[in-house]
Amino acid sequence: MTKVKASMMNAIHDLPLLVARDAGFFRDEGLDVEIVKTPGSGQRNSDHQALRSNIFDRTMESLYDQGACDQFRMCEWGVMKRAVESTTTAGHRPAKIVALGSAMSSFAIVTSPRARIYEPEQLKNRPIAVSPYNGSHFTTLKLLEGFLKREQIKTTFAGTMKERLEAVANGEVAAASLMEPWISVAEKRGLRVLLESHSTRSEAAGEELDGPTLAKMFRAEAAAAEAIDKNPERYAHYLVEEAGGLLEPRELKLSRILNAPPEPYTRERFDHTYQWTLGWGLVPPGATYENTVDNRAWQ
């Protein structure tokens, strides 16, 4: 059995990873995968280390830098930022994009009915709570730039998913970007979903993890994605547990659980995503497809 350490943060991002482990799909591929759990913004016991402004000070990134895990997945733009900066900034363990991942995580911008916000244009110059340089941040920019000028989109830090949900309910911010299961928690509490989208994950790894091993991991994740798609209710408990008693399984919107087989990260995809993040000033210039992407699982 080949041993691999893969990190995870939130179930909506890492559900195929969890199912591949627990259903034996990794084992079927000859892999012994240890999942290193790190606090993300959506777990009931989340801390603020996962939200530090310097991404390399965060729990997952610190563990990867120290060699405590071999592989991780995050939102496509977040992995782009980390892969680019680990290559262009000295002192960090390099990580390359090795696949377009299997989880399409659901994100939504929610408001309080008391705020009387009915359309995206009403968020002009109003604070929207996000996790900086994480999926909620990038997805919020993507969702709103079709309605507002870039300089009119105002994001702010308001803590974890649970904390920013409270900030919306208390009128401290105009809106917040949430992922599941916190979108369902917000709906249960009577908050309004203004905009909603899926955000594709990317997979990243260091050079120590070879192509054949990655290929086995991705086949196992593909099998897990298929199993989840056939019966999402069976695996909803992974998400419900993160809400810490604030949500019943029947209250989770299962249609928001979306997964697919991992696939190669194409040059066209790289060019589009890198130029978008560069245009927002979220990554440094100078990255190339060759020094950021490695599709060795398919070679």
Side-chain angles (χ1 to χ4, degrees), residues 65-274:
D65 257 1
Q66 297 163 16
C69 63
D70 309 303
Q71 198 267 342
F72 61 90
R73 71 216 37 78
M74 304 177 75
C75 76
E76 181 179 3
W77 312 287
V79 168
M80 178 68 71
K81 180 175 177 64
R82 285 147 181 81
V84 168
E85 293 194 10
S86 70
T87 301
T88 60
T89 306
H92 297 294
R93 179 187 177 193
K96 287 194 174 184
I97 301 171
V98 292
L100 190 66
S102 56
M104 273 64 81
S105 304
S106 52
F107 279 92
I109 298 175
V110 304
T111 67
S112 169
R114 293 194 300 274
R116 297 186 177 182
I117 295 173
Y118 308 105
E119 57 183 358
E121 288 86 350
Q122 289 180 270
L123 291 176
K124 176 183 176 181
N125 294 322
R126 303 186 69 178
I128 305 160
V130 304
S131 305
Y133 307 127
N134 278 342
S136 65
H137 182 188
F138 300 115
T139 307
T140 295
L141 300 180
K142 277 281 189 178
L143 285 170
L144 287 178
E145 65 183 355
F147 297 91
L148 301 172
K149 295 179 180 178
R150 286 190 170 191
E151 62 269 20
Q152 296 170 339
I153 302 172
K154 306 299 180 183
T155 59
T156 188
F157 169 66
T160 64
M161 293 282 165
K162 184 177 181 181
E163 290 170 338
R164 73 187 75 154
L165 189 154
E166 295 293 340
V168 171
N170 296 333
E172 298 167 15
V173 294
S177 181
L178 303 174
M179 62 192 179
E180 283 290 27
W182 298 98
I183 306 171
S184 291
V185 173
E187 290 179 315
K188 179 180 179 180
R189 294 188 56 176
L191 299 184
R192 177 181 296 132
V193 172
L194 193 64
L195 286 169
E196 186 171 348
S197 177
H198 282 96
S199 159
T200 304
R201 305 294 90 186
S202 284
E203 305 258 357
E207 60 184 10
E208 300 85 358
L209 201 55
D210 62 70
T213 301
L214 281 170
K216 292 176 182 179
M217 290 187 69
F218 297 154
R219 284 197 296 269
E221 289 178 33
E226 182 179 2
I228 297 165
D229 184 57
K230 287 181 178 178
N231 188 4
E233 187 175 5
R234 180 178 181 182
Y235 306 103
H237 66 91
Y238 291 98
L239 278 70
V240 173
E241 288 166 3
E242 293 189 340
L246 298 177
L247 197 69
E248 298 294 328
R250 58 181 173 78
E251 295 169 326
L252 181 72
K253 190 172 180 179
L254 296 177
S255 61
R256 291 194 178 110
I257 300 176
L258 180 63
N259 299 276
E263 58 186 56
Y265 201 85
T266 65
R267 184 180 295 272
E268 179 183 7
R269 188 99 187 192
F270 170 83
D271 290 340
H272 177 81
T273 302
Y274 179 58

